[in-house]
């Protein structure tokens, strides 16, 4: 299986640069994973495609303002830091630009010295371990100095940090948003519950590894980076109960999908657990829990597009993507959404 098998042509102007004023007003392309049949609606009608007894799985991770701009002590040279994950206490694994001169011992000042970082080691992929020092509470300083780590294909400035955050975000830790959840409003979630649909919340802190381009010619040669996840006993019970009574488990986003598939045993039972996952889902994968997926439109040749293709078939997915391009859908993080389900509901 070649990486090039997952290429599609996308006009630059269809890459969404700004979120819609109304989160739930985005378009929704519904794809029947068995037949490839498509239907077009708007996201606020998502409840029309959910049945009583189904379960939505949400990733309640919270994006931290992980992009910091500082200056190198002594020279004043500008340095950009992206926090990837906390290793321990105030030591973070980071991506540094420019990185060549960020050798161990380099000190970086942020906010005129409100926050100081020292490079203490160079690790995998050239990432730097930085020890931070400060007075006060790190999260409050970060909220004051940091910026949201928007993907490189978004060039517009984000005026409201909360628009790159789901309305149900709870636990700090992500370097990128689980963007399929950006379409939900509190009102829409209430409608979903009133329709008899259960909601289970899991946590996966999204790292940049999920979005790194696949450089290997063969899909199976690509190595996924690890991300931390957690499933509570309550969430596991809701998901297991749904499967037990014949309901569908529909994940909101590829991160929720990767979380439950990582935690499931071969019989499809979810256990409460936490840990690190580097699960790589591509065509040929047998889903143990997932029945449906709400997701955004992904980059060509990406691991996310491969995951979606594992669920609905590469031919069906690429045909739906071509239809989305042709009919003017907005792509990527602030773009429109897809719902992939087993059987199209009767109207």
């Amino acid at each position: 299986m070649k990486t090039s098998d997952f290429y599609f042509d996308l006009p630059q102007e269809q890459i969404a640069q700004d979120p819609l004023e109304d989160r739930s007003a985005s378009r929704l392309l519904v794809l029947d994973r068995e037949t490839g049949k498509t239907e077009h609606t708007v996201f606020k009608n998502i409840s029309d495609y959910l049945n009583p007894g189904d379960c939505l799985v949400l990733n309640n991770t919270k994006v931290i303002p992980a992009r910091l701009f500082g200056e190198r002590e002594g020279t004043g040279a500008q340095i950009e830091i992206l926090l990837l994950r906390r290793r321990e206490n105030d030591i973070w694994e980071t991506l540094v630009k420019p990185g060549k001169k960020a050798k161990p011992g380099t000190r970086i000042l942020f906010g005129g010295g409100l926050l100081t970082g020292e490079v203490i080691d160079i690790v995998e992929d050239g990432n730097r371990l930085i020890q931070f020092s400060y007075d006060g509470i790190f999260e409050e300083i970060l909220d004051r100095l940091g910026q949201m780590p928007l993907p490189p294909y978004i060039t517009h400035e984000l005026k409201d940090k909360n628009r790159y955050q789901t309305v149900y975000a709870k636990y700090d830790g992500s370097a990128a948003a689980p963007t399929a959840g950006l379409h939900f409003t509190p009102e829409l979630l209430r409608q979903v519950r009133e329709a008899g649909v259960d909601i289970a919340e899991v946590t996966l802190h999204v790292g940049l590894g999920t979005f790194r381009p696949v450089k290997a010619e063969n899909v199976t040669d690509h190595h996924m980076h690890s991300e931390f996840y957690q499933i509570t006993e309550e969430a596991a019970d809701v998901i297991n109960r749904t499967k037990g009574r014949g309901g569908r488990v529909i994940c909101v986003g590829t991160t929720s999908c990767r979380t439950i598939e990582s935690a499931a045993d071969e019989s499809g039972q979810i256990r409460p657990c936490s840990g690190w996952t580097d699960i790589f889902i591509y065509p040929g994968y047998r889903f143990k829990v997932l029945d449906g997926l709400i997701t955004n439109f992904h980059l060509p040749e990406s691991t996310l597009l491969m995951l979606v293709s594992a669920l609905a078939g590469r031919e069906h997915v690429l045909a739906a993507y071509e239809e989305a391009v042709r009919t003017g859908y907005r792509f990527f993080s602030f773009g429109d959404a897809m719902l992939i389900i087993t059987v199209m509901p009767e109207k």
Side-chain angles (χ1 to χ4, degrees):
M1 192 184 313
K2 304 283 190 187
T3 299
S4 57
D5 292 339
F6 298 89
Y7 177 80
F8 66 94
D9 189 39
L10 177 67
Q12 189 77 16
E13 61 270 18
Q14 284 182 247
I15 299 175
Q17 292 296 317
D18 303 289
L20 297 179
E21 185 174 342
D22 177 0
R23 289 174 181 260
S24 63
S26 56
R27 297 174 70 184
L28 179 67
L29 188 154
V30 183
L31 171 65
D32 187 320
R33 59 181 285 204
E34 301 295 337
T35 67
K37 179 183 175 184
T38 59
E39 185 173 326
H40 302 273
T41 183
V42 292
F43 196 85
K44 61 182 61 177
N45 294 333
I46 192 73
S47 294
D48 294 346
Y49 299 90
L50 305 175
N51 299 328
D54 285 345
C55 172
L56 276 189
V57 182
L58 311 179
N59 180 7
N60 60 17
T61 188
K62 192 172 185 178
V63 186
I64 60 174
R67 179 166 276 125
L68 288 163
F69 295 90
E71 56 185 45
R72 190 176 174 191
E73 188 177 57
T75 67
Q78 298 299 300
I79 292 184
E80 178 183 342
I81 303 291
L82 185 63
L83 303 177
L84 298 180
R85 69 186 190 195
R86 190 193 295 264
R87 285 292 190 94
E88 54 181 300
N89 299 324
D90 293 317
I91 298 175
W92 284 76
E93 183 176 342
T94 69
L95 187 64
V96 179
K97 288 199 264 184
K100 285 187 177 179
K101 293 186 178 180
K103 299 176 181 178
T106 300
R107 286 172 55 83
I108 306 164
L109 306 179
F110 305 94
L114 188 64
L115 178 68
T116 302
E118 180 177 346
V119 179
I120 60 173
D121 200 2
I122 300 175
V123 294
E124 185 182 5
D125 294 327
N127 294 342
R128 268 59 175 174
L129 291 187
I130 293 183
Q131 169 90 58
F132 288 99
S133 55
Y134 51 89
D135 289 324
I137 299 172
F138 181 78
E139 287 74 16
E140 292 181 356
I141 294 171
L142 188 62
D143 191 56
R144 178 174 169 183
L145 299 180
Q147 296 183 13
M148 280 300 188
L150 296 179
Y153 49 76
I154 295 178
T155 58
H156 291 187
E157 181 182 352
L158 182 64
K159 296 178 181 178
D160 180 1
K161 285 182 181 181
N162 288 325
R163 294 312 309 274
Y164 194 57
Q165 205 81 265
T166 64
V167 297
Y168 47 80
K170 290 181 181 175
Y171 302 113
D172 287 338
S174 278
T179 54
L182 296 179
H183 304 282
F184 282 97
T185 63
E187 294 76 20
L188 188 53
L189 286 171
R190 186 172 62 250
Q191 288 177 24
V192 167
R193 288 188 175 95
E194 289 174 351
V197 177
D198 284 333
I199 291 179
E201 294 189 12
V202 300
T203 305
L204 183 138
H205 292 320
V206 188
L208 294 186
T210 302
F211 304 100
R212 288 192 174 178
V214 179
K215 296 180 180 178
E217 182 179 352
N218 293 313
V219 168
T220 53
D221 292 335
H222 178 71
H223 172 66
M224 293 285 284
H225 285 66
S226 294
E227 296 165 312
F228 180 80
Y229 75 95
Q230 185 168 31
I231 297 182
T232 63
E233 184 173 357
E234 179 184 3
D237 287 346
V238 172
I239 296 168
N240 291 334
R241 189 166 62 244
T242 299
K243 297 296 284 189
R245 68 187 176 214
R248 298 177 300 177
V249 173
I250 300 168
C251 283
V252 178
T254 56
T255 60
S256 299
C257 165
R258 294 176 66 244
T259 301
I260 66 170
E261 290 294 318
S262 295
D265 63 23
E266 288 306 312
S267 68
Q269 283 288 296
I270 299 285
R271 65 192 188 283
C273 57
S274 63
W276 296 84
T277 180
D278 60 358
I279 189 172
F280 182 16
I281 298 175
Y282 52 85
Y285 179 85
R286 184 180 67 83
F287 287 91
K288 294 174 283 189
V289 187
L290 184 77
D291 298 300
L293 181 68
I294 296 170
T295 185
N296 280 17
F297 291 91
H298 304 296
L299 278 71
E301 300 183 337
S302 63
T303 61
L304 305 179
L305 182 56
M306 294 170 191
L307 185 155
V308 172
S309 297
L311 180 63
R314 185 180 70 89
E315 294 79 8
H316 288 167
V317 168
L318 290 180
Y321 269 54
E322 288 176 10
E323 185 175 337
V325 170
R326 189 173 63 251
T327 54
Y329 274 70
R330 302 163 74 244
F331 275 66
F332 306 162
S333 296
F334 287 143
D336 296 314
M338 266 183 107
L339 168 63
I340 303 172
I341 52 175
T342 308
V343 179
M344 293 287 286
E346 294 183 3
K347 296 295 182 183

